[in-house]
Amino acid sequence: EEMPELIGGVESIANEITYPETARQAGIEGRVYVQFIVNEEGEVEHPRVIRGIGGGADEEALRVVSQATFKPGLQRGQPVRVQFSLPIIFRLTEEERTQTIQPQSSVDFENPEVIEKTMTIIDLDQSENSVSGIVVDSETREPLAGANIIIEGSNIGASSDHNGRFTINHTDSELSGISISYIGYRQAQINF
């Protein structure tokens, strides 16, 4: 519901980054994409370069992103983990391209983008008066606590517990399906 916010804005990262000398001398420019998780405390976890340019720029982008702090994302007022991808642009000045004296490099940023992951339900059990299962990340199979599960065409639903489990009791004998939503993930639907 509320996305994490970089404390100090992108300027807080821009002020810390140094254009690597190896990249500068080799004329290396481009975008480095760093993917990471903002945890419930607003700290960066598991940063990794998902697309780099070499010349030391990848390592410098990782170093600076690792030190960043965020205001954590919120789901129903509770802090949650959110996965981000941050593109950092390394660009040489015109003087550096023509190899004149007194080079001054610049580093630009684009807005962080949310990586939409996918989720699924395992151990799905549908009976005449209830539906239950476990909401998990499709790739890692880790349970997703706090996912919203709604019976389609109604306002009846539940949230998954800390193990990703949910149970919805209902009186509709002709249950058509359920819809599952969780911040940072694509909405999923299961039809019966």
Side-chain angles (χ1 to χ4, degrees):
E1 295 169 351
E2 291 183 38
M3 298 304 297
E5 295 177 24
L6 182 58
I7 295 174
V10 292
E11 296 80 22
S12 65
I13 292 179
N15 292 337
E16 295 297 319
I17 204 156
T18 303
Y19 207 112
E21 192 58 35
T22 304
R24 184 190 325 256
Q25 289 176 359
I28 296 173
E29 298 179 281
R31 284 180 175 85
V32 175
Y33 289 86
V34 180
Q35 187 178 74
F36 55 94
I37 293 172
V38 177
N39 69 18
E40 296 88 343
E41 287 79 39
E43 300 165 339
V44 172
E45 288 184 355
H46 311 299
R48 64 186 181 103
V49 173
I50 55 174
R51 193 167 78 204
I53 58 173
D58 303 351
E59 293 80 2
E60 181 65 7
L62 265 180
R63 180 189 72 78
V64 175
V65 167
S66 297
Q67 298 171 359
T69 55
F70 289 77
K71 177 182 169 191
L74 300 175
Q75 177 79 11
R76 290 185 305 281
Q78 298 296 316
V80 292
R81 297 164 56 88
V82 179
Q83 188 169 22
F84 270 87
S85 176
L86 181 66
I88 302 173
I89 304 168
F90 288 83
R91 185 179 303 130
L92 296 169
T93 63
E94 191 57 41
E95 292 83 23
E96 288 173 311
R97 285 190 195 105
T98 57
Q99 298 183 352
T100 59
I101 301 173
Q102 297 183 347
Q104 293 187 3
S105 305
S106 69
V107 178
D108 295 329
F109 295 89
E110 295 177 350
N111 289 330
E113 53 191 55
V114 175
I115 300 297
E116 282 197 1
K117 299 174 77 176
T118 59
M119 61 187 154
T120 190
I121 294 181
I122 57 173
D123 298 337
L124 183 64
D125 183 28
Q126 179 199 1
S127 67
E128 188 174 315
N129 295 322
S130 72
V131 61
S132 63
I134 303 171
V135 182
V136 298
D137 180 287
S138 296
E139 184 179 319
T140 66
R141 307 307 262 187
E142 290 290 319
L144 298 176
N148 292 316
I149 305 95
I150 305 286
I151 294 176
E152 296 219 357
S154 78
N155 59 358
I156 300 170
S159 292
S160 58
D161 68 12
H162 66 281
N163 292 317
R165 295 182 186 280
F166 72 92
T167 300
I168 303 173
N169 296 314
H170 63 88
T171 56
D172 186 0
S173 61
E174 293 188 23
L175 181 66
S176 63
I178 57 175
S179 177
I180 309 103
S181 60
Y182 190 80
I183 193 164
Y185 285 75
R186 288 191 193 108
Q187 186 169 357
Q189 292 183 325
I190 296 180
N191 297 318
F192 299 117

